[in-house]
Structures are given as C-alpha cells and as structure tokens.
Amino acid sequence: MLYKTETELMKKAQEAIGKTFNEIDQHDRLGKGQKGGFGHIIEESHFGYEINSNAEPDFKELGIELKVTAFKKNKNGTISAKERLVLNIINYMEEVCEQFETSSFWRKNQKLLLMFYEWQTELERGEFHIIETILYKYPEEDLIIIKKDWEHIVNKIKAGEAHLLSEGDTQYLGACTKGANKSTVRQQPYSDILAPQRAFSLKQSYMTSIMREYITKEKLTYFSSKKELLEKTIEELLYERFVPYIGLTQKEMAARLDVPYNSKNKAFIPKIISSLLGVKGTKLDQIAEFAKANIQFKTVQLKQSGIPKEHMSFVNINFKQIVEEDWEDSYIRNYFLETQLLFVVFQLNEQDELVFKGIKLWHMPMETIENGVLGYWEEIRNVVNEGVQFEITKRGIKNNLPDVKFNGILHVRPKGRNAADKTELPDGQLITKQSYWLNAEYVANILNEVR
DNA sequence: GCATGATCATGC
DNA sequence: GCATGATCATGC
C-alpha cells in the first residue's frame, strides 16, 4: 500500500484513534509467545506494509518514520511519556563521516508519524488504546538544540570516546544504550575500545513535552530566542542571564527584579528565576528548555565554610517497587541519568544574609551512577529484603537502612508530614516515609567549580 | 557541630 | 490529602 501524500497518510493514521491493539492486530501478534511490539502491529495490520529495518524511513516516498509510543497518566492528572523514544542505532564508524544534514539520524527521523497509546498497568497489552496521532516536525528552536546534541555525540566518537557516551551529556537528543545486554558492543573509529551499542533517542522529557502539547494541549514558553540558541548553548545562556546578579543578596535580587520578597517564604526564588530569564510569571516547569531537557532547579544555601547547610532531598522511595525493579530500569538510575540539576547557589555572609554566588548545570556522571548509586540501591534492597529493623531511641524511631556515611554520595532519611506519616514495606511493616538525599559534602564538591 | 529523625510550607 | 522543596531540633 502506497501513500502518496502526507494528508492521505495522516487520514489513514487517524482511523486508528480510539482502537485497541486487539482490534487492529490481524496477525495474532499479541498471542502468547509472540514477540514484536505495537509498532509491528500498526505497520502490518493498520498500514499494511512489510516490516523492515532499513536505514530509510518507513514511508520512504514521504520521508516519514512511524513510531508507536506510550504515555501514562500521573497521579496529579498530568501525562508523561512512558519511555524515551528510541530511534536508529548509531553506527560509530559511519556517523562520524557525515554532516548533520546527511546523518543517519536526520535521514531517517526528520519527520515522525507518532502514534500515542495510553499505558494502563491494570489492562492487558491488547486492551491499550491509540489516543492520538500526529505528524511531528521539530520546531526550529528545538532543531537547533538537537543539531548541537548530534554534534556533541559525533565529537565524542571523534575523540575516541564512544564508550563514554552518556544520555546526560545532551539536551533533547540522546544516545541511549540499546542491545540485548551489556555485552552488545560495537567498534568505534578512533579507539580500540569496544563501545556499548547505542541508538539515537528523544529523551523521555522531550517526549513528555510533545505529548503534553498535543494530547493535553499545554503551552510551553521559551526563554531563549532562535538567534541566541544559534550562537550559544542553553548552559551559556543560563550563565549569561544569572551573572549580573552575582554578589547581590536575595532581597536585593527580588527588589531589582520587582518580585515581592518574603524571607519566610522561599517561593519567591522560582519567581526570581523566571523573571531574570525574561519570562516573568511563567512557572519553571512551563519553560520549554527546562521541560524538554528535564532541567530541575535546586536552590542551595552554603554556610560560610562552603558546605551546604542541609542535605538535598529528592523523591520518596517506593519500597515495594525498589525490590522488584532491575537496576537497568530502576527509578533512581533513570532519575539521575535523565535529570539535569540547575543549582542556584547562595552563600551566607557575615551578616547572615544569603548572597547569590552563581549557578551550575549538572548531571551525575555515569561512573557515579553505575558504582556509588548502584551500590546504595543494592544495599537498600538487601536491607528491605531481609526485613528492615527498627529501634526506638530518644530521638525517634531508627532504622537500619544504609546511612549518610555509606558511600559519601547519597543516603536515605525520613521525609513526611511527621513521624506518623508512614508507607508500607514489602513485608507489610510500616515505615515513616523516606526520601533519597544527596549528601551535603557531595553537593559541596559538585559546586567547587560554580561560576 | 554533625548526624539523623522529625517536621514545616506550599501548591494543586 | 499528598507530593515536594525545604528546614528544624537535639542527642551524641
């Protein structure tokens, strides 16, 4: 079946909206023991063409690649991409010979026919519905960044460091591992070290923003202009925006940016940030560059010694999940792989005022994730699997989860409404809600190079 | 003065 | 009511 125009193809695509995969599948691909994903079902049964794995786009006459991808509903009513969108495998030997315009990524993926289905854990796979379908062309602002990401990946291969590629290195376009297992490796041109096989991918955060734009109709705001993006990286633009305020107290910053100041209420800090970025009134998670690249901001208060006043908390641990997940798809690994933190750093001066010191855009190095964080994750699982031991002390209820001294990177500590705010462990015991915290000393080391 | 259990404030 | 970012409080 040939589709001659985009309109014709999209008309056909839209016929799938509202259908389940069971209704679409004509080749019993959902039956027991059958492999192959939803993409295969749509290709074969809905569009009626042969499955291939060419370097060319699926609908090659139109230069359109088909992708079937899932979103899930969050507890708060928003939606998120279930996963990153995995594109073509990177041939390290060949990609380095290309320009962006002739690259395998661009040739295959410049126009994407995206079909979104909702992932619902309580349903059988065949019961999932196609909810929306769109012909996606990258907005100009995004394409500038994607091109830089591609160049970053290729430059790393050119430096003989294909084995050191990491998803956290780039903003929207990533190089994610793809293979049967860790031993799936490939040759690289400028080093003898075999590198894990990787594919180009659109990051989960980037996919989430597409889905929110088209499914729940959310609008994002860019803080940077196309012109600026052409000349500078997001990181450079951020520094540029923040630099004029270095040395000012929080109160002075608020005054200069015309934001109401209240030393008791830290909510004015996000307001200061959106204001100095030039998008006053926009919530930080509605800033396009932040949402798409998954940049989360964190304020840090340094004591005069340069050590943060407090450890830094993250999400609460789901203990039932952590004992069941594999490391490769564990929550904490993915969080640090896919999240960039924007540290907004203040330091207490002699008058006990908080003075703006600078920012740092940071992601956790792969090595730290695969050693330190992995070790900590394993230890939590060990303790939970053996049954957490509690001890009542004068200061409260103590548990035997690995503490702040375990590896100098992160630890687990209570975080809830109060000590009675509890969650269930896999063995049925109750425990005060616990969160991951990055150790203050570790954060201090990260911030050594704050500009 | 840190370690660590407990708690606050806010937004949705 | 809950998640999240942030901070308090005190025994050691």
Side-chain angles (χ1 to χ4, degrees), chain A residues 266 299 301 309-310 313 395 415 433 437:
Chain A
K266 296 295 179 282
T299 50
Q301 288 191 20
K309 204 162 146 261
E310 301 287 347
S313 74
R395 297 213 315 243
K415 187 175 85 168
K433 288 180 181 171
W437 300 72

PDB file of all heavy atoms in Angstrom, chain A residues 266 299 301 309-310 313 395 415 433 437, chain C residues 2-8 10-12:
ATOM      1  N   LYS A 266      10.121  30.700  50.649  1.00  0.00           N
ATOM      2  CA  LYS A 266      11.103  30.528  49.591  1.00  0.00           C
ATOM      3  C   LYS A 266      10.489  30.469  48.195  1.00  0.00           C
ATOM      4  O   LYS A 266      11.177  30.320  47.206  1.00  0.00           O
ATOM      5  CB  LYS A 266      11.925  29.273  49.863  1.00  0.00           C
ATOM      6  CG  LYS A 266      12.754  29.339  51.137  1.00  0.00           C
ATOM      7  CD  LYS A 266      13.834  30.417  51.012  1.00  0.00           C
ATOM      8  CE  LYS A 266      14.682  30.541  52.260  1.00  0.00           C
ATOM      9  NZ  LYS A 266      14.039  31.277  53.342  1.00  0.00           N
ATOM     10  N   THR A 299      17.707  25.037  44.827  1.00  0.00           N
ATOM     11  CA  THR A 299      18.456  26.088  45.494  1.00  0.00           C
ATOM     12  C   THR A 299      19.380  25.454  46.522  1.00  0.00           C
ATOM     13  O   THR A 299      19.054  24.447  47.133  1.00  0.00           O
ATOM     14  CB  THR A 299      17.545  27.090  46.220  1.00  0.00           C
ATOM     15  OG1 THR A 299      16.632  26.355  47.021  1.00  0.00           O
ATOM     16  CG2 THR A 299      16.782  27.950  45.255  1.00  0.00           C
ATOM     17  N   GLN A 301      21.885  26.549  49.854  1.00  0.00           N
ATOM     18  CA  GLN A 301      22.382  27.573  50.766  1.00  0.00           C
ATOM     19  C   GLN A 301      23.697  27.085  51.352  1.00  0.00           C
ATOM     20  O   GLN A 301      23.716  26.096  52.082  1.00  0.00           O
ATOM     21  CB  GLN A 301      21.407  27.782  51.921  1.00  0.00           C
ATOM     22  CG  GLN A 301      20.134  28.477  51.527  1.00  0.00           C
ATOM     23  CD  GLN A 301      19.325  28.885  52.744  1.00  0.00           C
ATOM     24  OE1 GLN A 301      19.859  28.994  53.856  1.00  0.00           O
ATOM     25  NE2 GLN A 301      18.039  29.082  52.541  1.00  0.00           N
ATOM     26  N   LYS A 309      24.113  24.012  53.915  1.00  0.00           N
ATOM     27  CA  LYS A 309      23.523  23.978  55.236  1.00  0.00           C
ATOM     28  C   LYS A 309      22.769  22.667  55.454  1.00  0.00           C
ATOM     29  O   LYS A 309      22.696  22.161  56.568  1.00  0.00           O
ATOM     30  CB  LYS A 309      22.542  25.167  55.343  1.00  0.00           C
ATOM     31  CG  LYS A 309      22.261  25.648  56.724  1.00  0.00           C
ATOM     32  CD  LYS A 309      21.658  27.059  56.654  1.00  0.00           C
ATOM     33  CE  LYS A 309      20.647  27.291  57.764  1.00  0.00           C
ATOM     34  NZ  LYS A 309      19.249  27.127  57.356  1.00  0.00           N
ATOM     35  N   GLU A 310      22.177  22.158  54.390  1.00  0.00           N
ATOM     36  CA  GLU A 310      21.368  20.941  54.508  1.00  0.00           C
ATOM     37  C   GLU A 310      21.733  19.955  53.409  1.00  0.00           C
ATOM     38  O   GLU A 310      22.187  20.347  52.340  1.00  0.00           O
ATOM     39  CB  GLU A 310      19.879  21.282  54.353  1.00  0.00           C
ATOM     40  CG  GLU A 310      19.342  22.278  55.364  1.00  0.00           C
ATOM     41  CD  GLU A 310      19.168  21.699  56.756  1.00  0.00           C
ATOM     42  OE1 GLU A 310      19.226  20.457  56.899  1.00  0.00           O
ATOM     43  OE2 GLU A 310      18.984  22.481  57.706  1.00  0.00           O
ATOM     44  N   SER A 313      17.140  16.958  49.376  1.00  0.00           N
ATOM     45  CA  SER A 313      16.182  15.852  49.263  1.00  0.00           C
ATOM     46  C   SER A 313      15.629  15.686  47.855  1.00  0.00           C
ATOM     47  O   SER A 313      15.562  16.634  47.084  1.00  0.00           O
ATOM     48  CB  SER A 313      15.028  16.036  50.249  1.00  0.00           C
ATOM     49  OG  SER A 313      14.165  17.060  49.816  1.00  0.00           O
ATOM     50  N   ARG A 395      15.511   9.873  70.195  1.00  0.00           N
ATOM     51  CA  ARG A 395      15.290  10.873  69.153  1.00  0.00           C
ATOM     52  C   ARG A 395      14.262  10.436  68.126  1.00  0.00           C
ATOM     53  O   ARG A 395      14.026  11.153  67.164  1.00  0.00           O
ATOM     54  CB  ARG A 395      16.603  11.167  68.452  1.00  0.00           C
ATOM     55  CG  ARG A 395      17.625  11.768  69.373  1.00  0.00           C
ATOM     56  CD  ARG A 395      18.500  12.728  68.600  1.00  0.00           C
ATOM     57  NE  ARG A 395      18.918  12.156  67.325  1.00  0.00           N
ATOM     58  CZ  ARG A 395      20.165  11.915  67.020  1.00  0.00           C
ATOM     59  NH1 ARG A 395      21.106  12.170  67.864  1.00  0.00           N
ATOM     60  NH2 ARG A 395      20.469  11.428  65.843  1.00  0.00           N
ATOM     61  N   LYS A 415      11.263  11.589  55.358  1.00  0.00           N
ATOM     62  CA  LYS A 415      10.673  12.829  54.861  1.00  0.00           C
ATOM     63  C   LYS A 415       9.176  12.618  54.710  1.00  0.00           C
ATOM     64  O   LYS A 415       8.733  11.895  53.831  1.00  0.00           O
ATOM     65  CB  LYS A 415      11.263  13.255  53.518  1.00  0.00           C
ATOM     66  CG  LYS A 415      10.760  14.632  53.115  1.00  0.00           C
ATOM     67  CD  LYS A 415      11.407  15.147  51.848  1.00  0.00           C
ATOM     68  CE  LYS A 415      10.693  14.651  50.621  1.00  0.00           C
ATOM     69  NZ  LYS A 415      11.135  15.375  49.413  1.00  0.00           N
ATOM     70  N   LYS A 433       7.771   7.633  55.938  1.00  0.00           N
ATOM     71  CA  LYS A 433       8.161   7.882  54.543  1.00  0.00           C
ATOM     72  C   LYS A 433       9.615   8.342  54.461  1.00  0.00           C
ATOM     73  O   LYS A 433      10.048   9.178  55.243  1.00  0.00           O
ATOM     74  CB  LYS A 433       7.237   8.922  53.913  1.00  0.00           C
ATOM     75  CG  LYS A 433       5.848   8.379  53.633  1.00  0.00           C
ATOM     76  CD  LYS A 433       4.964   9.431  53.006  1.00  0.00           C
ATOM     77  CE  LYS A 433       3.569   8.864  52.768  1.00  0.00           C
ATOM     78  NZ  LYS A 433       2.623   9.935  52.360  1.00  0.00           N
ATOM     79  N   TRP A 437      18.480  11.484  49.671  1.00  0.00           N
ATOM     80  CA  TRP A 437      19.120  12.782  49.895  1.00  0.00           C
ATOM     81  C   TRP A 437      20.542  12.723  49.344  1.00  0.00           C
ATOM     82  O   TRP A 437      21.256  11.742  49.598  1.00  0.00           O
ATOM     83  CB  TRP A 437      19.206  13.085  51.399  1.00  0.00           C
ATOM     84  CG  TRP A 437      17.890  13.134  52.113  1.00  0.00           C
ATOM     85  CD1 TRP A 437      17.094  12.070  52.416  1.00  0.00           C
ATOM     86  CD2 TRP A 437      17.221  14.289  52.644  1.00  0.00           C
ATOM     87  NE1 TRP A 437      15.972  12.500  53.088  1.00  0.00           N
ATOM     88  CE2 TRP A 437      16.033  13.853  53.247  1.00  0.00           C
ATOM     89  CE3 TRP A 437      17.545  15.650  52.665  1.00  0.00           C
ATOM     90  CZ2 TRP A 437      15.137  14.731  53.860  1.00  0.00           C
ATOM     91  CZ3 TRP A 437      16.658  16.521  53.282  1.00  0.00           C
ATOM     92  CH2 TRP A 437      15.464  16.064  53.866  1.00  0.00           C
TER      93      TRP A 437
ATOM     94  P    DC C   2      -3.234  10.881  51.994  1.00  0.00           P
ATOM     95  OP1  DC C   2      -3.511   9.478  51.658  1.00  0.00           O
ATOM     96  OP2  DC C   2      -2.766  11.264  53.341  1.00  0.00           O
ATOM     97  O5'  DC C   2      -2.194  11.452  50.931  1.00  0.00           O
ATOM     98  C5'  DC C   2      -2.559  11.504  49.563  1.00  0.00           C
ATOM     99  C4'  DC C   2      -1.532  12.326  48.829  1.00  0.00           C
ATOM    100  O4'  DC C   2      -1.719  13.728  49.131  1.00  0.00           O
ATOM    101  C3'  DC C   2      -0.082  11.986  49.208  1.00  0.00           C
ATOM    102  O3'  DC C   2       0.620  11.741  48.018  1.00  0.00           O
ATOM    103  C2'  DC C   2       0.422  13.233  49.919  1.00  0.00           C
ATOM    104  C1'  DC C   2      -0.447  14.327  49.286  1.00  0.00           C
ATOM    105  N1   DC C   2      -0.617  15.553  50.095  1.00  0.00           N
ATOM    106  C2   DC C   2      -0.480  16.782  49.464  1.00  0.00           C
ATOM    107  O2   DC C   2      -0.220  16.819  48.255  1.00  0.00           O
ATOM    108  N3   DC C   2      -0.633  17.914  50.193  1.00  0.00           N
ATOM    109  C4   DC C   2      -0.913  17.842  51.487  1.00  0.00           C
ATOM    110  N4   DC C   2      -1.063  18.988  52.157  1.00  0.00           N
ATOM    111  C5   DC C   2      -1.065  16.593  52.155  1.00  0.00           C
ATOM    112  C6   DC C   2      -0.908  15.481  51.428  1.00  0.00           C
ATOM    113  P    DA C   3       1.990  10.951  48.048  1.00  0.00           P
ATOM    114  OP1  DA C   3       1.801   9.688  47.319  1.00  0.00           O
ATOM    115  OP2  DA C   3       2.544  10.966  49.421  1.00  0.00           O
ATOM    116  O5'  DA C   3       2.855  11.914  47.143  1.00  0.00           O
ATOM    117  C5'  DA C   3       2.295  12.420  45.943  1.00  0.00           C
ATOM    118  C4'  DA C   3       3.081  13.628  45.519  1.00  0.00           C
ATOM    119  O4'  DA C   3       2.748  14.751  46.367  1.00  0.00           O
ATOM    120  C3'  DA C   3       4.599  13.443  45.613  1.00  0.00           C
ATOM    121  O3'  DA C   3       5.158  13.982  44.428  1.00  0.00           O
ATOM    122  C2'  DA C   3       4.989  14.214  46.875  1.00  0.00           C
ATOM    123  C1'  DA C   3       3.929  15.317  46.912  1.00  0.00           C
ATOM    124  N9   DA C   3       3.573  15.785  48.252  1.00  0.00           N
ATOM    125  C8   DA C   3       3.304  15.037  49.361  1.00  0.00           C
ATOM    126  N7   DA C   3       2.981  15.750  50.413  1.00  0.00           N
ATOM    127  C5   DA C   3       3.038  17.052  49.964  1.00  0.00           C
ATOM    128  C6   DA C   3       2.795  18.291  50.589  1.00  0.00           C
ATOM    129  N6   DA C   3       2.427  18.408  51.870  1.00  0.00           N
ATOM    130  N1   DA C   3       2.942  19.412  49.855  1.00  0.00           N
ATOM    131  C2   DA C   3       3.309  19.295  48.574  1.00  0.00           C
ATOM    132  N3   DA C   3       3.560  18.193  47.867  1.00  0.00           N
ATOM    133  C4   DA C   3       3.404  17.093  48.627  1.00  0.00           C
ATOM    134  P    DT C   4       6.693  13.893  44.134  1.00  0.00           P
ATOM    135  OP1  DT C   4       6.857  13.906  42.679  1.00  0.00           O
ATOM    136  OP2  DT C   4       7.284  12.833  44.971  1.00  0.00           O
ATOM    137  O5'  DT C   4       7.200  15.283  44.699  1.00  0.00           O
ATOM    138  C5'  DT C   4       6.695  16.483  44.127  1.00  0.00           C
ATOM    139  C4'  DT C   4       7.303  17.642  44.858  1.00  0.00           C
ATOM    140  O4'  DT C   4       6.691  17.754  46.171  1.00  0.00           O
ATOM    141  C3'  DT C   4       8.819  17.510  45.109  1.00  0.00           C
ATOM    142  O3'  DT C   4       9.438  18.606  44.484  1.00  0.00           O
ATOM    143  C2'  DT C   4       8.966  17.539  46.629  1.00  0.00           C
ATOM    144  C1'  DT C   4       7.683  18.217  47.060  1.00  0.00           C
ATOM    145  N1   DT C   4       7.204  17.892  48.425  1.00  0.00           N
ATOM    146  C2   DT C   4       6.769  18.938  49.207  1.00  0.00           C
ATOM    147  O2   DT C   4       6.773  20.103  48.823  1.00  0.00           O
ATOM    148  N3   DT C   4       6.334  18.579  50.456  1.00  0.00           N
ATOM    149  C4   DT C   4       6.289  17.308  50.986  1.00  0.00           C
ATOM    150  O4   DT C   4       5.868  17.114  52.123  1.00  0.00           O
ATOM    151  C5   DT C   4       6.751  16.257  50.117  1.00  0.00           C
ATOM    152  C7   DT C   4       6.748  14.841  50.607  1.00  0.00           C
ATOM    153  C6   DT C   4       7.178  16.596  48.889  1.00  0.00           C
ATOM    154  P    DG C   5      10.997  18.646  44.272  1.00  0.00           P
ATOM    155  OP1  DG C   5      11.172  18.926  42.837  1.00  0.00           O
ATOM    156  OP2  DG C   5      11.637  17.480  44.915  1.00  0.00           O
ATOM    157  O5'  DG C   5      11.441  19.926  45.089  1.00  0.00           O
ATOM    158  C5'  DG C   5      10.802  21.177  44.862  1.00  0.00           C
ATOM    159  C4'  DG C   5      11.050  22.033  46.068  1.00  0.00           C
ATOM    160  O4'  DG C   5      10.292  21.505  47.182  1.00  0.00           O
ATOM    161  C3'  DG C   5      12.515  22.049  46.519  1.00  0.00           C
ATOM    162  O3'  DG C   5      12.913  23.414  46.697  1.00  0.00           O
ATOM    163  C2'  DG C   5      12.522  21.274  47.820  1.00  0.00           C
ATOM    164  C1'  DG C   5      11.105  21.510  48.338  1.00  0.00           C
ATOM    165  N9   DG C   5      10.658  20.464  49.236  1.00  0.00           N
ATOM    166  C8   DG C   5      10.756  19.101  49.064  1.00  0.00           C
ATOM    167  N7   DG C   5      10.276  18.423  50.068  1.00  0.00           N
ATOM    168  C5   DG C   5       9.830  19.388  50.957  1.00  0.00           C
ATOM    169  C6   DG C   5       9.219  19.260  52.235  1.00  0.00           C
ATOM    170  O6   DG C   5       8.938  18.228  52.835  1.00  0.00           O
ATOM    171  N1   DG C   5       8.932  20.490  52.798  1.00  0.00           N
ATOM    172  C2   DG C   5       9.203  21.708  52.204  1.00  0.00           C
ATOM    173  N2   DG C   5       8.863  22.797  52.895  1.00  0.00           N
ATOM    174  N3   DG C   5       9.771  21.843  51.019  1.00  0.00           N
ATOM    175  C4   DG C   5      10.060  20.652  50.454  1.00  0.00           C
ATOM    176  P    DA C   6      14.367  23.776  47.210  1.00  0.00           P
ATOM    177  OP1  DA C   6      14.634  25.123  46.697  1.00  0.00           O
ATOM    178  OP2  DA C   6      15.302  22.657  46.973  1.00  0.00           O
ATOM    179  O5'  DA C   6      14.163  23.876  48.779  1.00  0.00           O
ATOM    180  C5'  DA C   6      13.140  24.743  49.278  1.00  0.00           C
ATOM    181  C4'  DA C   6      13.046  24.563  50.762  1.00  0.00           C
ATOM    182  O4'  DA C   6      12.546  23.251  51.077  1.00  0.00           O
ATOM    183  C3'  DA C   6      14.385  24.672  51.501  1.00  0.00           C
ATOM    184  O3'  DA C   6      14.378  25.906  52.222  1.00  0.00           O
ATOM    185  C2'  DA C   6      14.418  23.466  52.438  1.00  0.00           C
ATOM    186  C1'  DA C   6      12.986  22.935  52.378  1.00  0.00           C
ATOM    187  N9   DA C   6      12.900  21.492  52.557  1.00  0.00           N
ATOM    188  C8   DA C   6      13.361  20.508  51.719  1.00  0.00           C
ATOM    189  N7   DA C   6      13.135  19.290  52.160  1.00  0.00           N
ATOM    190  C5   DA C   6      12.481  19.494  53.370  1.00  0.00           C
ATOM    191  C6   DA C   6      11.974  18.602  54.338  1.00  0.00           C
ATOM    192  N6   DA C   6      12.050  17.269  54.234  1.00  0.00           N
ATOM    193  N1   DA C   6      11.389  19.139  55.441  1.00  0.00           N
ATOM    194  C2   DA C   6      11.313  20.475  55.541  1.00  0.00           C
ATOM    195  N3   DA C   6      11.751  21.410  54.704  1.00  0.00           N
ATOM    196  C4   DA C   6      12.329  20.847  53.623  1.00  0.00           C
ATOM    197  P    DT C   7      15.674  26.333  53.062  1.00  0.00           P
ATOM    198  OP1  DT C   7      15.626  27.791  53.117  1.00  0.00           O
ATOM    199  OP2  DT C   7      16.874  25.614  52.623  1.00  0.00           O
ATOM    200  O5'  DT C   7      15.282  25.776  54.498  1.00  0.00           O
ATOM    201  C5'  DT C   7      13.998  26.096  55.019  1.00  0.00           C
ATOM    202  C4'  DT C   7      13.805  25.373  56.325  1.00  0.00           C
ATOM    203  O4'  DT C   7      13.695  23.963  56.090  1.00  0.00           O
ATOM    204  C3'  DT C   7      14.965  25.544  57.314  1.00  0.00           C
ATOM    205  O3'  DT C   7      14.428  26.190  58.444  1.00  0.00           O
ATOM    206  C2'  DT C   7      15.440  24.136  57.608  1.00  0.00           C
ATOM    207  C1'  DT C   7      14.227  23.302  57.211  1.00  0.00           C
ATOM    208  N1   DT C   7      14.514  21.903  56.830  1.00  0.00           N
ATOM    209  C2   DT C   7      13.963  20.900  57.594  1.00  0.00           C
ATOM    210  O2   DT C   7      13.259  21.122  58.572  1.00  0.00           O
ATOM    211  N3   DT C   7      14.273  19.636  57.189  1.00  0.00           N
ATOM    212  C4   DT C   7      15.055  19.270  56.101  1.00  0.00           C
ATOM    213  O4   DT C   7      15.250  18.103  55.843  1.00  0.00           O
ATOM    214  C5   DT C   7      15.601  20.369  55.339  1.00  0.00           C
ATOM    215  C7   DT C   7      16.464  20.087  54.150  1.00  0.00           C
ATOM    216  C6   DT C   7      15.308  21.620  55.734  1.00  0.00           C
ATOM    217  P    DC C   8      15.302  26.497  59.730  1.00  0.00           P
ATOM    218  OP1  DC C   8      14.876  27.837  60.184  1.00  0.00           O
ATOM    219  OP2  DC C   8      16.728  26.191  59.501  1.00  0.00           O
ATOM    220  O5'  DC C   8      14.713  25.426  60.750  1.00  0.00           O
ATOM    221  C5'  DC C   8      13.290  25.320  60.851  1.00  0.00           C
ATOM    222  C4'  DC C   8      12.958  24.257  61.871  1.00  0.00           C
ATOM    223  O4'  DC C   8      13.315  22.962  61.357  1.00  0.00           O
ATOM    224  C3'  DC C   8      13.688  24.411  63.202  1.00  0.00           C
ATOM    225  O3'  DC C   8      12.744  24.118  64.212  1.00  0.00           O
ATOM    226  C2'  DC C   8      14.799  23.366  63.134  1.00  0.00           C
ATOM    227  C1'  DC C   8      14.123  22.277  62.301  1.00  0.00           C
ATOM    228  N1   DC C   8      15.030  21.407  61.504  1.00  0.00           N
ATOM    229  C2   DC C   8      15.005  20.036  61.715  1.00  0.00           C
ATOM    230  O2   DC C   8      14.265  19.557  62.587  1.00  0.00           O
ATOM    231  N3   DC C   8      15.808  19.236  60.956  1.00  0.00           N
ATOM    232  C4   DC C   8      16.579  19.767  60.021  1.00  0.00           C
ATOM    233  N4   DC C   8      17.337  18.943  59.293  1.00  0.00           N
ATOM    234  C5   DC C   8      16.622  21.177  59.786  1.00  0.00           C
ATOM    235  C6   DC C   8      15.836  21.952  60.548  1.00  0.00           C
ATOM    236  P    DT C  10      14.517  20.554  70.688  1.00  0.00           P
ATOM    237  OP1  DT C  10      13.352  20.196  71.496  1.00  0.00           O
ATOM    238  OP2  DT C  10      15.176  21.857  70.819  1.00  0.00           O
ATOM    239  O5'  DT C  10      15.626  19.434  70.864  1.00  0.00           O
ATOM    240  C5'  DT C  10      15.291  18.068  70.707  1.00  0.00           C
ATOM    241  C4'  DT C  10      16.562  17.265  70.656  1.00  0.00           C
ATOM    242  O4'  DT C  10      17.243  17.507  69.401  1.00  0.00           O
ATOM    243  C3'  DT C  10      17.575  17.643  71.749  1.00  0.00           C
ATOM    244  O3'  DT C  10      18.212  16.460  72.171  1.00  0.00           O
ATOM    245  C2'  DT C  10      18.568  18.518  71.011  1.00  0.00           C
ATOM    246  C1'  DT C  10      18.615  17.759  69.695  1.00  0.00           C
ATOM    247  N1   DT C  10      19.207  18.459  68.534  1.00  0.00           N
ATOM    248  C2   DT C  10      19.776  17.667  67.582  1.00  0.00           C
ATOM    249  O2   DT C  10      19.810  16.466  67.634  1.00  0.00           O
ATOM    250  N3   DT C  10      20.322  18.361  66.528  1.00  0.00           N
ATOM    251  C4   DT C  10      20.345  19.736  66.345  1.00  0.00           C
ATOM    252  O4   DT C  10      20.863  20.233  65.365  1.00  0.00           O
ATOM    253  C5   DT C  10      19.722  20.496  67.395  1.00  0.00           C
ATOM    254  C7   DT C  10      19.705  21.991  67.312  1.00  0.00           C
ATOM    255  C6   DT C  10      19.196  19.833  68.431  1.00  0.00           C
ATOM    256  P    DG C  11      18.040  15.951  73.637  1.00  0.00           P
ATOM    257  OP1  DG C  11      16.605  15.758  73.895  1.00  0.00           O
ATOM    258  OP2  DG C  11      18.856  16.825  74.504  1.00  0.00           O
ATOM    259  O5'  DG C  11      18.725  14.518  73.530  1.00  0.00           O
ATOM    260  C5'  DG C  11      18.178  13.556  72.620  1.00  0.00           C
ATOM    261  C4'  DG C  11      19.313  12.762  72.003  1.00  0.00           C
ATOM    262  O4'  DG C  11      19.989  13.564  70.997  1.00  0.00           O
ATOM    263  C3'  DG C  11      20.388  12.315  72.984  1.00  0.00           C
ATOM    264  O3'  DG C  11      20.797  11.026  72.566  1.00  0.00           O
ATOM    265  C2'  DG C  11      21.481  13.363  72.822  1.00  0.00           C
ATOM    266  C1'  DG C  11      21.360  13.704  71.321  1.00  0.00           C
ATOM    267  N9   DG C  11      21.716  15.046  70.928  1.00  0.00           N
ATOM    268  C8   DG C  11      21.358  16.225  71.544  1.00  0.00           C
ATOM    269  N7   DG C  11      21.765  17.284  70.913  1.00  0.00           N
ATOM    270  C5   DG C  11      22.439  16.793  69.806  1.00  0.00           C
ATOM    271  C6   DG C  11      23.088  17.471  68.733  1.00  0.00           C
ATOM    272  O6   DG C  11      23.205  18.672  68.570  1.00  0.00           O
ATOM    273  N1   DG C  11      23.653  16.583  67.836  1.00  0.00           N
ATOM    274  C2   DG C  11      23.587  15.219  67.921  1.00  0.00           C
ATOM    275  N2   DG C  11      24.177  14.542  66.951  1.00  0.00           N
ATOM    276  N3   DG C  11      22.959  14.566  68.908  1.00  0.00           N
ATOM    277  C4   DG C  11      22.420  15.405  69.801  1.00  0.00           C
ATOM    278  P    DC C  12      21.718  10.122  73.457  1.00  0.00           P
ATOM    279  OP1  DC C  12      21.235   8.746  73.237  1.00  0.00           O
ATOM    280  OP2  DC C  12      21.821  10.683  74.815  1.00  0.00           O
ATOM    281  O5'  DC C  12      23.127  10.287  72.747  1.00  0.00           O
ATOM    282  C5'  DC C  12      23.242   9.887  71.377  1.00  0.00           C
ATOM    283  C4'  DC C  12      24.553  10.417  70.843  1.00  0.00           C
ATOM    284  O4'  DC C  12      24.455  11.852  70.669  1.00  0.00           O
ATOM    285  C3'  DC C  12      25.744  10.202  71.784  1.00  0.00           C
ATOM    286  O3'  DC C  12      26.571   9.192  71.218  1.00  0.00           O
ATOM    287  C2'  DC C  12      26.472  11.553  71.836  1.00  0.00           C
ATOM    288  C1'  DC C  12      25.745  12.397  70.789  1.00  0.00           C
ATOM    289  N1   DC C  12      25.565  13.823  71.149  1.00  0.00           N
ATOM    290  C2   DC C  12      26.019  14.800  70.279  1.00  0.00           C
ATOM    291  O2   DC C  12      26.569  14.445  69.216  1.00  0.00           O
ATOM    292  N3   DC C  12      25.841  16.108  70.585  1.00  0.00           N
ATOM    293  C4   DC C  12      25.238  16.438  71.714  1.00  0.00           C
ATOM    294  N4   DC C  12      25.087  17.741  71.972  1.00  0.00           N
ATOM    295  C5   DC C  12      24.765  15.479  72.627  1.00  0.00           C
ATOM    296  C6   DC C  12      24.958  14.177  72.321  1.00  0.00           C
TER     297       DC C  12
END
